[in-house]
PDB file of all heavy atoms in Angstrom:
ATOM      1  N   LYS Z   7     158.625 156.480 152.637  1.00 53.00           N
ATOM      2  CA  LYS Z   7     158.297 155.078 152.345  1.00 53.00           C
ATOM      3  C   LYS Z   7     159.105 154.139 153.242  1.00 53.00           C
ATOM      4  O   LYS Z   7     158.617 153.137 153.757  1.00 53.00           O
ATOM      5  CB  LYS Z   7     158.606 154.768 150.875  1.00 53.00           C
ATOM      6  CG  LYS Z   7     157.414 155.047 149.971  1.00 53.00           C
ATOM      7  CD  LYS Z   7     157.725 154.598 148.566  1.00 53.00           C
ATOM      8  CE  LYS Z   7     156.574 154.929 147.647  1.00 53.00           C
ATOM      9  NZ  LYS Z   7     156.938 154.686 146.254  1.00 53.00           N
ATOM     10  N   GLU Z   8     160.395 154.498 153.376  1.00 56.00           N
ATOM     11  CA  GLU Z   8     161.267 153.663 154.213  1.00 56.00           C
ATOM     12  C   GLU Z   8     160.759 153.616 155.658  1.00 56.00           C
ATOM     13  O   GLU Z   8     160.712 152.575 156.295  1.00 56.00           O
ATOM     14  CB  GLU Z   8     162.676 154.245 154.200  1.00 56.00           C
ATOM     15  CG  GLU Z   8     163.734 153.160 154.002  1.00 56.00           C
ATOM     16  CD  GLU Z   8     165.030 153.759 153.559  1.00 56.00           C
ATOM     17  OE1 GLU Z   8     165.629 154.434 154.399  1.00 56.00           O
ATOM     18  OE2 GLU Z   8     165.407 153.579 152.393  1.00 56.00           O
ATOM     19  N   ARG Z   9     160.343 154.810 156.139  1.00 55.00           N
ATOM     20  CA  ARG Z   9     159.844 154.894 157.527  1.00 55.00           C
ATOM     21  C   ARG Z   9     158.575 154.072 157.694  1.00 55.00           C
ATOM     22  O   ARG Z   9     158.360 153.399 158.690  1.00 55.00           O
ATOM     23  CB  ARG Z   9     159.604 156.351 157.912  1.00 55.00           C
ATOM     24  CG  ARG Z   9     160.879 156.951 158.490  1.00 55.00           C
ATOM     25  CD  ARG Z   9     160.822 158.417 158.704  1.00 55.00           C
ATOM     26  NE  ARG Z   9     159.641 158.868 159.422  1.00 55.00           N
ATOM     27  CZ  ARG Z   9     159.237 160.130 159.421  1.00 55.00           C
ATOM     28  NH1 ARG Z   9     159.901 161.014 158.715  1.00 55.00           N
ATOM     29  NH2 ARG Z   9     158.190 160.509 160.097  1.00 55.00           N
ATOM     30  N   LEU Z  10     157.725 154.137 156.610  1.00 49.00           N
ATOM     31  CA  LEU Z  10     156.484 153.365 156.647  1.00 49.00           C
ATOM     32  C   LEU Z  10     156.786 151.869 156.717  1.00 49.00           C
ATOM     33  O   LEU Z  10     156.188 151.106 157.475  1.00 49.00           O
ATOM     34  CB  LEU Z  10     155.658 153.690 155.397  1.00 49.00           C
ATOM     35  CG  LEU Z  10     154.222 153.154 155.404  1.00 49.00           C
ATOM     36  CD1 LEU Z  10     153.410 153.865 156.496  1.00 49.00           C
ATOM     37  CD2 LEU Z  10     153.570 153.377 154.055  1.00 49.00           C
ATOM     38  N   LYS Z  11     157.799 151.450 155.886  1.00 54.00           N
ATOM     39  CA  LYS Z  11     158.213 150.042 155.876  1.00 54.00           C
ATOM     40  C   LYS Z  11     158.669 149.617 157.275  1.00 54.00           C
ATOM     41  O   LYS Z  11     158.330 148.571 157.790  1.00 54.00           O
ATOM     42  CB  LYS Z  11     159.377 149.859 154.899  1.00 54.00           C
ATOM     43  CG  LYS Z  11     158.979 149.212 153.590  1.00 54.00           C
ATOM     44  CD  LYS Z  11     160.247 148.911 152.828  1.00 54.00           C
ATOM     45  CE  LYS Z  11     159.996 148.813 151.347  1.00 54.00           C
ATOM     46  NZ  LYS Z  11     161.251 148.718 150.622  1.00 54.00           N
ATOM     47  N   MET Z  12     159.509 150.485 157.879  1.00 49.00           N
ATOM     48  CA  MET Z  12     160.046 150.199 159.217  1.00 49.00           C
ATOM     49  C   MET Z  12     158.922 150.047 160.231  1.00 49.00           C
ATOM     50  O   MET Z  12     158.915 149.139 161.040  1.00 49.00           O
ATOM     51  CB  MET Z  12     160.979 151.352 159.669  1.00 49.00           C
ATOM     52  CG  MET Z  12     162.302 151.394 158.954  1.00 49.00           C
ATOM     53  SD  MET Z  12     163.377 150.082 159.517  1.00 49.00           S
ATOM     54  CE  MET Z  12     163.967 150.830 161.017  1.00 49.00           C
ATOM     55  N   THR Z  13     157.937 150.991 160.138  1.00 52.00           N
ATOM     56  CA  THR Z  13     156.822 150.958 161.073  1.00 52.00           C
ATOM     57  C   THR Z  13     156.077 149.634 160.949  1.00 52.00           C
ATOM     58  O   THR Z  13     155.714 148.999 161.939  1.00 52.00           O
ATOM     59  CB  THR Z  13     155.866 152.142 160.811  1.00 52.00           C
ATOM     60  OG1 THR Z  13     156.643 153.299 160.686  1.00 52.00           O
ATOM     61  CG2 THR Z  13     154.845 152.281 161.906  1.00 52.00           C
ATOM     62  N   ASN Z  14     155.852 149.202 159.664  1.00 55.00           N
ATOM     63  CA  ASN Z  14     155.165 147.931 159.449  1.00 55.00           C
ATOM     64  C   ASN Z  14     155.960 146.761 160.034  1.00 55.00           C
ATOM     65  O   ASN Z  14     155.403 145.853 160.624  1.00 55.00           O
ATOM     66  CB  ASN Z  14     154.937 147.691 157.951  1.00 55.00           C
ATOM     67  CG  ASN Z  14     153.748 148.502 157.477  1.00 55.00           C
ATOM     68  OD1 ASN Z  14     152.866 148.827 158.277  1.00 55.00           O
ATOM     69  ND2 ASN Z  14     153.723 148.837 156.200  1.00 55.00           N
ATOM     70  N   ALA Z  15     157.299 146.840 159.832  1.00 51.00           N
ATOM     71  CA  ALA Z  15     158.142 145.763 160.372  1.00 51.00           C
ATOM     72  C   ALA Z  15     158.032 145.701 161.887  1.00 51.00           C
ATOM     73  O   ALA Z  15     157.880 144.633 162.474  1.00 51.00           O
ATOM     74  CB  ALA Z  15     159.599 146.008 159.966  1.00 51.00           C
ATOM     75  N   TYR Z  16     158.073 146.894 162.532  1.00 53.00           N
ATOM     76  CA  TYR Z  16     157.929 146.929 163.994  1.00 53.00           C
ATOM     77  C   TYR Z  16     156.601 146.330 164.435  1.00 53.00           C
ATOM     78  O   TYR Z  16     156.524 145.608 165.424  1.00 53.00           O
ATOM     79  CB  TYR Z  16     158.032 148.368 164.517  1.00 53.00           C
ATOM     80  CG  TYR Z  16     159.445 148.886 164.544  1.00 53.00           C
ATOM     81  CD1 TYR Z  16     159.756 150.171 164.118  1.00 53.00           C
ATOM     82  CD2 TYR Z  16     160.483 148.073 165.022  1.00 53.00           C
ATOM     83  CE1 TYR Z  16     161.053 150.649 164.148  1.00 53.00           C
ATOM     84  CE2 TYR Z  16     161.794 148.558 165.051  1.00 53.00           C
ATOM     85  CZ  TYR Z  16     162.076 149.841 164.611  1.00 53.00           C
ATOM     86  OH  TYR Z  16     163.337 150.287 164.646  1.00 53.00           O
ATOM     87  N   LYS Z  17     155.550 146.641 163.651  1.00 54.00           N
ATOM     88  CA  LYS Z  17     154.222 146.113 163.980  1.00 54.00           C
ATOM     89  C   LYS Z  17     154.240 144.590 163.985  1.00 54.00           C
ATOM     90  O   LYS Z  17     153.703 143.945 164.856  1.00 54.00           O
ATOM     91  CB  LYS Z  17     153.193 146.606 162.956  1.00 54.00           C
ATOM     92  CG  LYS Z  17     152.642 147.981 163.251  1.00 54.00           C
ATOM     93  CD  LYS Z  17     151.591 148.330 162.227  1.00 54.00           C
ATOM     94  CE  LYS Z  17     151.120 149.757 162.398  1.00 54.00           C
ATOM     95  NZ  LYS Z  17     150.198 150.146 161.333  1.00 54.00           N
ATOM     96  N   HIS Z  18     154.904 144.027 162.925  1.00 55.00           N
ATOM     97  CA  HIS Z  18     154.947 142.562 162.828  1.00 55.00           C
ATOM     98  C   HIS Z  18     155.722 141.954 163.988  1.00 55.00           C
ATOM     99  O   HIS Z  18     155.318 140.947 164.559  1.00 55.00           O
ATOM    100  CB  HIS Z  18     155.573 142.142 161.490  1.00 55.00           C
ATOM    101  CG  HIS Z  18     154.600 142.266 160.360  1.00 55.00           C
ATOM    102  ND1 HIS Z  18     154.720 143.222 159.378  1.00 55.00           N
ATOM    103  CD2 HIS Z  18     153.469 141.595 160.076  1.00 55.00           C
ATOM    104  CE1 HIS Z  18     153.707 143.112 158.545  1.00 55.00           C
ATOM    105  NE2 HIS Z  18     152.931 142.128 158.939  1.00 55.00           N
ATOM    106  N   ILE Z  19     156.839 142.612 164.305  1.00 50.00           N
ATOM    107  CA  ILE Z  19     157.654 142.095 165.422  1.00 50.00           C
ATOM    108  C   ILE Z  19     156.845 142.130 166.713  1.00 50.00           C
ATOM    109  O   ILE Z  19     156.767 141.159 167.459  1.00 50.00           O
ATOM    110  CB  ILE Z  19     158.970 142.889 165.571  1.00 50.00           C
ATOM    111  CG1 ILE Z  19     159.883 142.588 164.383  1.00 50.00           C
ATOM    112  CG2 ILE Z  19     159.691 142.554 166.868  1.00 50.00           C
ATOM    113  CD1 ILE Z  19     161.051 143.537 164.239  1.00 50.00           C
ATOM    114  N   LEU Z  20     156.182 143.262 166.936  1.00 49.00           N
ATOM    115  CA  LEU Z  20     155.401 143.436 168.160  1.00 49.00           C
ATOM    116  C   LEU Z  20     154.274 142.403 168.220  1.00 49.00           C
ATOM    117  O   LEU Z  20     154.036 141.771 169.261  1.00 49.00           O
ATOM    118  CB  LEU Z  20     154.833 144.861 168.212  1.00 49.00           C
ATOM    119  CG  LEU Z  20     154.067 145.220 169.463  1.00 49.00           C
ATOM    120  CD1 LEU Z  20     154.960 145.090 170.692  1.00 49.00           C
ATOM    121  CD2 LEU Z  20     153.547 146.656 169.389  1.00 49.00           C
ATOM    122  N   LEU Z  21     153.632 142.195 167.068  1.00 50.00           N
ATOM    123  CA  LEU Z  21     152.551 141.215 166.998  1.00 50.00           C
ATOM    124  C   LEU Z  21     153.075 139.822 167.333  1.00 50.00           C
ATOM    125  O   LEU Z  21     152.459 139.057 168.083  1.00 50.00           O
ATOM    126  CB  LEU Z  21     151.946 141.242 165.586  1.00 50.00           C
ATOM    127  CG  LEU Z  21     150.593 140.558 165.425  1.00 50.00           C
ATOM    128  CD1 LEU Z  21     149.547 141.264 166.273  1.00 50.00           C
ATOM    129  CD2 LEU Z  21     150.176 140.579 163.956  1.00 50.00           C
ATOM    130  N   GLY Z  22     154.249 139.509 166.755  1.00 50.00           N
ATOM    131  CA  GLY Z  22     154.864 138.198 167.014  1.00 50.00           C
ATOM    132  C   GLY Z  22     155.167 138.014 168.485  1.00 50.00           C
ATOM    133  O   GLY Z  22     154.844 136.988 169.075  1.00 50.00           O
TER     134      GLY Z  22
END
Side-chain angles (χ1 to χ4, degrees):
Chain Z
K7 271 186 183 171
E8 225 162 69
R9 271 171 50 197
L10 190 66
K11 256 188 204 172
M12 287 286 280
T13 313
N14 281 335
Y16 284 137
K17 276 183 186 174
H18 282 110
I19 291 166
L20 183 60
L21 195 63

